[in-house]
Structure formats: structure tokens, C-alpha cells
Amino acid sequence: MAVSDLGKEYVFALAGNPNSGKTTLFNELTGSHYEVGNWAGVTVERKEGICKYVYHNHITHFDTHEHETEHKHDEAHNHIRIVDLPGIYSLSPNSAEEVITRDYILREKPDLILNIVDATNLERNLYLTTQLAEMDTPMVIALNMMDALEENGFSIDVEKLQKKLGIRIMPISASKGRGVQDLITECLNIASKKQLPLCPLTYGAKIENAVNEIQSEEGLNRLCSIKLIEHDIRLKSDIKSEKTTAVLEAVSKIIADIETYIAEKRYKFIKSITKECVSVIGENKQATRTRKIDSIVTHPILAIPVFIIIMFLIFQITFGAFGSMLSDFVDNLFNVQFAALVEKGLDAVGAGAFAKGLVIDGVIAGVGGVITFFPQIMLLFLFLSFLEDSGYMARTAFIMDKLFMKLGLSGKSFVPMIMGFGCSVPAIMSVRTLENERDRKLTLLLVPFMSCGAKMPVYAVFTAALFPEHAGIVTFSLYLIGIFLAIVSGLIFSRTVLKGDTPPFVLELPPYRMPTLKSTFHHMWEKAKDFAIRAGTVLLAASVIIWLLQNLDLRLHMVTDSRYSIIGMIGQLIAPLFKPCGFGNWQAAVSLISGFAAKEAVVSTMTILYGAGNSAGLVSSLSEVFTPLSAYAFLVFVLLYVPCVAAVSALSAELNSKKLTLFSICYQIGIAWIMSMLVFQIGSLFISL
Ligand code: GDP
Ligand code: MG
């Protein structure tokens, strides 16, 4: 590395096929925590991060962490900014992702293209590589998944491959963090020397002559010149010289279908070098395993039952005996032990009744009512992350495609919906990755039906109170009602407000992989983190406000009976609205309002309003106030009514239409009221029979 370059900021553009491990490498390099998903195009947004690896500028060898052969300490270290480009298979401008990548490299001129290549899928990945190598930009190949090579039954002669391709290749394993330091050191080396790749791929004398002429006439790089010859419309409008037009005409007279001709040349080149550098050493266990699992999991008849069984098992574990045991443990720890400790502390400093009430019955009870369910939220997210990382989630899109076609959607919309089970906000944001405008709008209107993680504490506390024996199945049924209504709504919307065509389905199914514990826990935490933050912010604030409103009247005097408090009056005003649904008590009405701030707040509010103190107390209060039927009607309402403020604002931003947002809000509330009323009224008929 040239000494004068120390301290300069380098920009490395990370490019590669979908599922090549781009996100994994990006996270490893930047230490920033992003979602790692398996469906095509999840990284349509542009992501950037500062590479953390550069700060220790020493060379560590692949596989042997003990043998650090060379130490080079640069005081003025280089900054490297990593830009994550969308996952693509080629650079023809067929999709938004391909255009983003090409334009980025052409316009922003990164110092280096870091091309990540999946070693277990070499031929397909190298197609993009041959195009990137023609962009006259320094380039390094990160040959990823080296750890999985043997399992895939072959080995690669990296030295030879590097020579044949004319591009520096660094073997890595992104998920294991192996070889990454060496990779960055080498990237810095090549970027600082501005060393261009020497891809020896040529297309025959006639095309080469034409390419050379266009390059000198138009000042384009090799790839763009070739694209012009391939009749790239986006580039054609920028032609400056008439000579270029003449050259293009001449070439198209010689070769009729130039695009196919060039593509074939690329494939031939790739085939010839992989033949020399890749040797088969055994059976491809990964492919065999994937085929075996898929024969059941994507089976035309078995697929959907298998999916339902998997989901059902997850709910049984999360909400059944195991999940409740964890919750009880936390409940005792926080709401009993911790609360007692705080009370002692407050007594010791001589705190008055007001302060004690606010802290113990307000903050601790309110926040604690939700923290109790944290283990269950984590458990659900752990399973969802596992399904995502293993490759199963991508299959669900495939499985659901047929069903979704009937809704006028593609199977791809299923992924945001499944994410909606975690939290609606990222789910709503991920809808961006769908190609078609109508698809996006329709999916956005349906995501709120997916029961988000924040509603779990509500289900958990109600099932514990009124359906202790059947918690798993009752909760599962709520999720099903949400899905069912999403289907019905989809059918209605796609035939009325949002008519249109369904785009064809293209989604790559990645091979099944055993996710690493580290990445699964990482993703679980990514999802659960927001809940932890919210417990400390929104819920804390809501608990304080609710407690104050419950203990003060309009003249701000303390009340002894909260019925006469501010909140009691508001509650009594709106409670009659819910009478037909079976839960016309003012506490329930108030908790639904605070649920708009955050769904967990329904539980916090109830804990405070019923003066329950902790979850166990709330469970016994609820079992007195509610009947199983009115409780179920209440849960149906909570399931379906308008999502929290954060989700509504995300929805409004993505829908980009006040009218549709308002429609969505009214629709959700309307459906919630109607369904909950129907549950209670029809249920009452049967019960009185
Ligand atoms: P992207 O679509 O290119 O962003 O790919 P991801 O980063 O989401 O990775 C796709 C899958 O490959 C994930 O399940 C990763 O855990 C897995 N993966 C990434 N790098 C490696 C690796 O070096 N070895 C193995 N065995 N798996 C990896
Ligand atoms: Mg990715």
C-alpha cells in the first residue's frame, strides 16, 4: 500500500448473486446489524457501513488464527466504506436491481468492486463476474462458502482459477468469519494500486474491433460498449458519435442475435475454466439433502399440511407449557422479587404514597406486565429466524404462490406477511422489494392482518386467565383468523379497489443450510430488540400516563375510586360501543385506546386499571371480569383493529396515499368490530342453547 494513501477513504462496492452470502459478509465487515434473509431482492435498499476490519492492519491466514505471519501497524489507518449492492445474476438492465448496480458502478466509481462468489455455485456466479470484470474498475473476488465446498462434493484450484480469470481471488467463509481479514488487506492493496482485472474473455475479431472503436469514440468502458452492441436501449440514447451508429449497424449485419452470441461466449469461457479448475471429489450431499427435504416440503399435496404442522408446533412450544414456564419465571423475578426490592428501597428513603403508587403500581406493574412475555416473544422470533436462515421461509413463498395467485398476488408477498408475525413495521418496509406497484399496495393492506409479536402478551395473559388448558390452540386460532381475513380481504380488494395483473413468479430457492447458532440468535435479537427498547420507552411513558390519568380527576385531585378519574370517564364514554362485542367495561375500552401506542400497552394498562400488580394478579382479575366468550371476542378485536402508531406511519409512508391509509385504518377497525361482535353474538346463541 502506498504510504501517501494512508488516511484516504476507500469505497468498496459489494456485488454478487442473491444468496451468495452478501448480507453475511456485509455484516461481518461492518459489524452493523442487518437482516439476513433468503428471498431474492431483500437488499434493494442501498446499505452502507464503515468496514471495521481495517483498524487492525495485519494479515491473518485463512484457517489458522494462531499464525499471524506479518504485523503492520498503520497509525493513520484507511477508512473503507462498504456499499451493499442488490443481489443480481447479470448486468443486463432487465430489473431495477440490475440497473441500480450498473449505474452505481458507472456513476459513483467505487475504488473497488468486491465481487462475492458462491463457490458451491461457481458457474452461475461467474457469469456476473465476467461482466463486472469489464467495467474498468479494480476488482477482487471473495470466493465464499469455502467451508461448504467439500460437502458439495468438489474442490476448487483457487490459484489456477485466479490465473485463468485474471482476477485476484480470496477464499473466505463469510458466516464463519474466515479469511475476511486477508480479503480486506488484499482489497486495499489492489484498490490503492488501482489494479484492473485482466479478464481474458474475448468475442472474436469483428466484435473486438467494434468494441475498440466504440470505446474510443464514446469514451465508454468495455462492458457498456458490449452492451451497446447488444442493443441496450438505455445506452443507445446517449450515443455521441455517428461513427458509433455506423459501427453498430455493421455488426448487427454480421451477427443476427448478438445478445445470445455474447451470452454464449461468456458461458463457454466460464465452462472451459471451471472444467480445468473444479474437480469432483464426491457426492453433492447438500444438493441431495435439499432434494430430499423439498420432495416433502414442497410436495403438491403435503406442502401446506407440513407448513401448518410446523407453525402449530412452534405455537405449542411458545405458548404451551414450556413458554409459560419461562414467563412465570420472569414474572416472579421482576414483578415479585424486583418489585419487593424497590418497595423496600422506597420505604427506606421515606417515599410517600403518591411516589410509591406511581413507581410500583404504575411503572413496575405496567412495564412488568409486558416484560413477563419477553421469553415467549424471543422464543417465537428464535423459531422464525431459524426458518428464515435454514431456507424454509423462501419455500413458503413458493408453496403459497398458487394460493396467492387467486388473491391476485404472487407468492413473494407471503414473505412480508410472515414477517408481519414478528413486527408490522419491518414487514411493511420489506414490501418495497416487490416489483409491481399494485402488488405492493395490496400486500400493504393485508400485512396488518398478520398478528404481530406485540399482541402476544395480550393473548398470553387472556389465555392464561380463561383458557389455561388450551392456550396453544386458542392462540393458533387467532393467527388463523387473521390469515383467513387477509385472504378474504385480498379477494375483495383485488377485484375492486386494486384490480390488475399478477406478475410471473421468479424466486430462487436456496439450498437448505443448517443455520449457525450465532446468526440465528443474532437475528432473533435483531427482531426482539425493538420490544426491549419499547418496554423502556413507550411502555414506560404509557404506564406513567395511564397511572396518572387513573389517579387524578379533571381538577387534578387524587381519586380513591378510579371510576371517577379522567381515564375512567373517557372509558365510560366509549365503553358502550363495545357492549355488543361483550366487553363493555371501561377498563377494556381504555386499554384498547392505549394499545394504539403499542399493542403490549393493552396488558400494561389493564394491569394498572385492574390494580392487579403483576401478571398473576391480572390473570385472576381477568378471569373474574371476562367470560371465555367475551375474552375471545376481545382477543379477536385486538387481533384485527388498527395496528400501532409506528406501523400506521410506516404504512402511510409506503402507501404514499392519505386516502388509502385512512381506508386501511377504517377498514381494520370496522372489521375488528364486526368480527368481534359476530363472535360474541353468535357464540351467545350457542351457549344459551
Ligand atoms: P445474500 O442473499 O447474498 O445476502 O446471502 P445471505 O448473506 O443472506 O446468505 C445466504 C445464506 O448463506 C445464509 O443462510 C447464510 O447463513 C449462508 N452463508 C453465508 N456465508 C456462508 C458461508 O461462508 N458458509 C456457509 N456454509 N453458509 C454461508
Ligand atoms: Mg441479502
Side-chain angles (χ1 to χ4, degrees):
M1 190 185 321
V3 179
S4 61
D5 281 342
L6 287 174
K8 165 184 158 65
E9 179 176 90
Y10 285 96
V11 178
F12 294 176
L14 189 57
N17 283 191
N19 293 312
S20 56
K22 238 160 36 62
T23 306
T24 313
L25 180 61
F26 182 81
N27 289 347
E28 177 64 34
L29 287 176
T30 59
S32 58
H33 304 299
Y34 285 95
E35 196 70 5
V36 182
N38 271 328
W39 41 91
V42 86
T43 36
V44 156
E45 295 167 283
R46 176 169 156 179
K47 287 194 305 191
E48 295 192 14
I50 298 293
C51 180
K52 62 173 189 183
Y53 268 83
V54 78
Y55 294 107
H56 25 98
N57 249 333
H58 54 79
I59 297 169
T60 313
H61 272 284
F62 185 72
D63 239 344
T64 50
H65 281 281
E66 300 80 12
H67 287 245
E68 291 169 7
T69 47
E70 191 182 334
H71 286 263
K72 225 198 270 170
H73 289 288
D74 299 321
E75 287 309 320
H77 34 240
N78 300 88
H79 276 277
I80 303 174
R81 202 148 46 87
I82 311 278
V83 177
D84 190 21
L85 297 173
I88 48 171
Y89 297 107
S90 79
L91 280 176
S92 42
N94 293 330
S95 70
E97 285 87 351
E98 292 176 351
V99 174
I100 291 172
T101 302
R102 191 167 92 181
D103 287 356
Y104 178 80
I105 297 171
L106 291 180
R107 299 213 181 110
E108 318 253 330
K109 300 201 175 17
D111 296 294
L112 181 104
I113 299 172
L114 178 46
N115 176 209
I116 180 161
V117 164
D118 175 359
T120 66
N121 241 318
L122 199 57
E123 270 186 34
R124 196 192 64 196
N125 277 247
L126 286 181
Y127 190 80
L128 177 66
T129 305
T130 61
Q131 293 186 317
L132 292 172
E134 288 165 346
M135 296 193 84
D136 297 345
T137 307
M139 178 166 161
V140 169
I141 293 176
L143 194 60
N144 192 28
M145 317 246 183
M146 288 304 280
D147 59 304
L149 214 52
E150 201 174 321
E151 200 198 12
N152 278 257
F154 60 93
S155 75
I156 297 176
D157 185 341
V158 177
E159 275 300 311
K160 204 169 180 185
L161 185 64
Q162 175 171 287
K163 263 203 202 102
K164 297 265 167 203
L165 271 176
I167 307 166
R168 190 84 176 99
I169 301 181
M170 300 299 289
I172 65 164
S173 168
S175 62
K176 299 201 156 70
R178 280 196 221 143
V180 179
Q181 180 69 61
D182 281 357
L183 170 70
I184 287 304
T185 310
E186 191 54 29
C187 285
L188 264 177
N189 181 22
I190 293 206
S192 63
K193 284 196 244 156
K194 298 196 171 39
Q195 185 181 320
L196 298 182
L198 314 160
C199 190
L201 168 59
T202 52
Y203 304 95
K206 288 189 185 96
I207 301 250
E208 288 302 324
N209 285 339
V211 169
N212 286 340
E213 273 189 69
I214 295 170
Q215 275 192 281
S216 60
E217 280 299 314
E218 301 290 324
L220 289 173
N221 66 29
R222 185 170 162 83
L223 181 78
C224 289
S225 310
I226 294 170
K227 285 284 158 207
L228 258 183
I229 295 176
E230 287 180 325
H231 308 296
D232 188 317
I233 304 162
R234 286 170 52 92
L235 293 170
K236 254 189 178 150
S237 53
D238 295 336
I239 293 179
K240 290 182 223 137
S241 137
E242 274 178 28
K243 204 169 155 207
T244 309
T245 321
V247 171
L248 290 178
E249 258 170 41
V251 180
S252 59
K253 270 188 199 130
I254 312 168
I255 304 162
D257 188 353
I258 297 190
E259 241 188 303
T260 315
Y261 173 82
I262 301 244
E264 271 171 7
K265 282 277 180 196
R266 288 191 199 278
Y267 278 124
K268 260 196 201 138
F269 171 73
I270 293 166
K271 277 237 165 69
S272 75
I273 56 175
T274 50
K275 214 166 117 193
E276 283 186 62
C277 305
V278 179
S279 41
V280 177
I281 54 169
E283 176 203 10
N284 188 340
K285 290 193 197 116
Q286 192 189 50
T288 317
R289 185 176 60 212
T290 295
R291 221 175 14 250
K292 268 192 197 147
I293 301 177
D294 269 344
S295 69
I296 300 168
V297 158
T298 62
H299 185 274
I301 298 163
L302 292 178
I304 290 185
V306 166
F307 171 72
I308 293 175
I309 291 169
I310 291 176
M311 286 299 169
F312 180 73
L313 286 179
I314 290 177
F315 285 118
Q316 273 302 338
I317 298 171
T318 309
F319 300 100
F322 182 68
S324 324
M325 192 187 73
L326 293 179
S327 287
D328 292 345
F329 175 75
V330 175
D331 187 28
N332 181 37
L333 205 68
F334 190 85
N335 296 316
V336 181
Q337 315 275 12
F338 181 66
L341 207 70
V342 172
E343 191 166 8
K344 252 196 214 144
L346 287 174
D347 282 339
V349 297
F354 184 82
K356 259 176 79 175
L358 183 64
V359 173
I360 308 269
D361 304 329
V363 172
I364 293 189
V367 174
V370 172
I371 284 196
T372 305
F373 299 99
F374 213 66
Q376 283 171 309
I377 293 177
M378 301 268 262
L379 213 53
L380 181 68
F381 288 169
L382 183 70
F383 288 123
L384 285 183
S385 302
F386 181 84
L387 292 186
E388 228 170 73
D389 288 355
S390 64
Y392 181 71
M393 209 66 112
R395 263 82 187 172
T396 61
F398 175 75
I399 297 165
M400 293 298 159
D401 193 47
K402 266 210 189 103
L403 193 74
F404 270 55
M405 285 280 256
K406 298 209 175 80
L407 304 183
L409 282 174
S410 91
K412 277 189 189 176
S413 301
F414 190 65
V415 174
M417 292 203 179
I418 288 271
M419 285 173 72
F421 287 138
C423 174
S424 309
V425 177
I428 286 168
M429 304 223 275
S430 76
V431 171
R432 262 184 231 180
T433 60
L434 304 179
E435 290 102 37
N436 172 301
E437 159 106 20
R438 189 195 66 102
D439 253 28
R440 283 198 296 267
K441 288 202 163 136
L442 191 47
T443 311
L444 284 170
L445 290 179
L446 303 185
V447 167
F449 283 105
M450 302 299 117
S451 182
C452 79
K455 292 174 188 166
M456 266 179 44
V458 189
Y459 304 156
V461 75
F462 270 86
T463 51
L466 294 137
F467 310 97
E469 307 284 300
H470 308 286
I473 193 131
V474 167
T475 312
F476 192 58
S477 73
L478 288 167
Y479 280 77
L480 287 185
I481 291 177
I483 295 168
F484 173 75
L485 285 172
I487 293 173
V488 174
S489 307
L491 283 173
I492 298 172
F493 294 158
S494 65
R495 279 157 183 75
T496 54
V497 249
L498 292 166
K499 274 191 223 170
D501 290 325
T502 309
F505 184 64
V506 208
L507 184 84
E508 199 212 347
L509 297 182
Y512 287 101
R513 295 193 176 99
M514 197 58 187
T516 57
L517 220 56
K518 185 177 145 199
S519 84
T520 305
F521 273 97
H522 178 94
H523 295 148
M524 173 196 77
W525 178 240
E526 273 303 296
K527 295 189 179 81
K529 194 171 66 183
D530 288 343
F531 287 90
I533 294 170
R534 285 215 305 216
T537 53
V538 182
L539 288 179
L540 191 90
S543 298
V544 169
I545 293 169
I546 299 282
W547 189 84
L548 287 175
L549 293 181
Q550 180 216 8
N551 280 284
L552 300 174
D553 63 14
L554 281 174
R555 289 169 302 150
L556 301 183
H557 288 167
M558 288 281 279
V559 293
T560 41
D561 187 342
S562 50
R563 193 186 311 242
Y564 306 111
S565 66
I566 302 175
I567 216 162
M569 281 154 59
I570 300 172
Q572 282 165 50
L573 206 66
I574 54 170
L577 284 176
F578 299 111
K579 208 156 187 85
C581 310
F583 47 90
N585 64 71
W586 65 267
Q587 291 94 335
V590 171
S591 63
L592 287 175
I593 297 176
S594 59
F596 184 56
K599 294 289 146 180
E600 311 94 308
V602 171
V603 173
S604 312
T605 307
M606 285 188 152
T607 313
I608 297 170
L609 292 186
Y610 288 119
N614 65 5
S615 304
L618 181 59
V619 164
S620 73
S621 307
L622 289 178
S623 62
E624 285 159 25
V625 180
F626 284 83
T627 65
L629 185 61
S630 66
Y632 197 74
F634 183 79
L635 291 181
V636 168
F637 193 91
V638 170
L639 163 75
L640 299 171
Y641 85 121
V642 62
C644 69
V645 187
V648 170
S649 59
L651 192 68
S652 147
E654 298 295 320
L655 277 172
N656 200 11
S657 148
K658 283 207 179 70
K659 228 168 76 187
L660 267 183
T661 311
L662 199 66
F663 170 76
S664 167
I665 295 172
C666 297
Y667 184 76
Q668 295 293 140
I669 296 179
I671 287 274
W673 190 85
I674 292 171
M675 287 307 294
S676 155
M677 187 268 290
L678 286 178
V679 164
F680 185 70
Q681 297 299 338
I682 296 174
S684 302
L685 286 181
F686 282 98
I687 285 172
S688 61
L689 274 180

